[in-house]
Amino acid sequence: FFFQAEDGIRHSSVTGVQTCALPISLSGGQQQRGAIARTLVQGARVILADEPIASLDPESSRRVMEVLSLINREDRCTIVVSLHQVEYARAFCPRVVALCGGCVAYDGEAAGLTDARLAEIYGARSRELISESAVPARPLPDLLRAAA
């Protein structure tokens, strides 16, 4: 039990959630990060995150994606994230799988999923997937390590 409590405190500091906060007092982003911390305390080696930033503001979305990215790199935990925000996938995910009509249309490095490639896959609808004003800053490894 002691090790679980110690892990919980470590993961709550990584995720930025206070260990004594009541769930009702947490923002949407804090609730998402708290859910991530709970998953890690339970010893998960794989996290399936279904649209973890769908209802969050850009800053909270960036923080949640930074936490997932940090956990992937530092804890070597596999993270599978479904996103509709292509700019977040390109900024935070080393590998991207794009689906179209239930089939895999792209599977590769995030850098390879260019606007032109999106247009090939989704046609005119690709413009809806890219929001220039909401492009998050790329996470900086030194800043993420400082959070740990």
Side-chain angles (χ1 to χ4, degrees), residues 59-89:
E59 178 60 23
S60 294
S61 296
R62 182 188 58 76
R63 290 189 69 199
V64 166
M65 292 303 294
E66 283 176 348
V67 167
L68 289 171
S69 181
L70 175 72
I71 291 165
N72 174 251
R73 281 193 321 276
E74 299 289 326
D75 292 349
R76 312 276 302 153
C77 183
T78 299
I79 312 282
V80 178
V81 182
S82 67
L83 297 171
H84 290 273
Q85 300 90 341
V86 172
E87 65 274 10
Y88 284 89

Side-chain angles (χ1 to χ4, degrees), residues 2-142:
F2 174 73
F3 293 113
Q4 274 188 318
E6 190 175 78
D7 279 349
I9 291 169
R10 182 176 75 84
H11 291 305
S12 67
S13 67
V14 167
T15 57
V17 176
Q18 297 174 358
T19 55
C20 60
L22 296 174
I24 197 160
S25 68
L26 299 176
S27 70
Q30 290 172 322
Q31 289 177 21
Q32 292 288 51
R33 293 190 305 273
I36 294 166
R38 281 193 312 275
T39 301
L40 293 171
V41 168
Q42 294 170 357
R45 299 307 310 149
V46 176
I47 295 176
L48 303 175
D50 184 17
E51 298 191 45
I53 62 172
S55 60
L56 301 179
D57 62 86
E59 178 60 23
S60 294
S61 296
R62 182 188 58 76
R63 290 189 69 199
V64 166
M65 292 303 294
E66 283 176 348
V67 167
L68 289 171
S69 181
L70 175 72
I71 291 165
N72 174 251
R73 281 193 321 276
E74 299 289 326
D75 292 349
R76 312 276 302 153
C77 183
T78 299
I79 312 282
V80 178
V81 182
S82 67
L83 297 171
H84 290 273
Q85 300 90 341
V86 172
E87 65 274 10
Y88 284 89
R90 291 195 281 206
F92 293 98
C93 303
R95 178 179 170 198
V96 176
V97 177
L99 303 175
C100 185
C103 297
V104 175
Y106 176 84
D107 182 355
E109 292 185 11
L113 190 60
T114 63
D115 291 354
R117 183 73 173 123
L118 284 169
E120 287 175 24
I121 297 168
Y122 299 110
R125 296 179 316 178
S126 68
R127 289 187 198 106
E128 299 169 15
L129 300 173
I130 304 163
S131 174
E132 293 301 324
S133 62
V135 175
R138 245 185 214 282
L140 301 173
D142 293 338

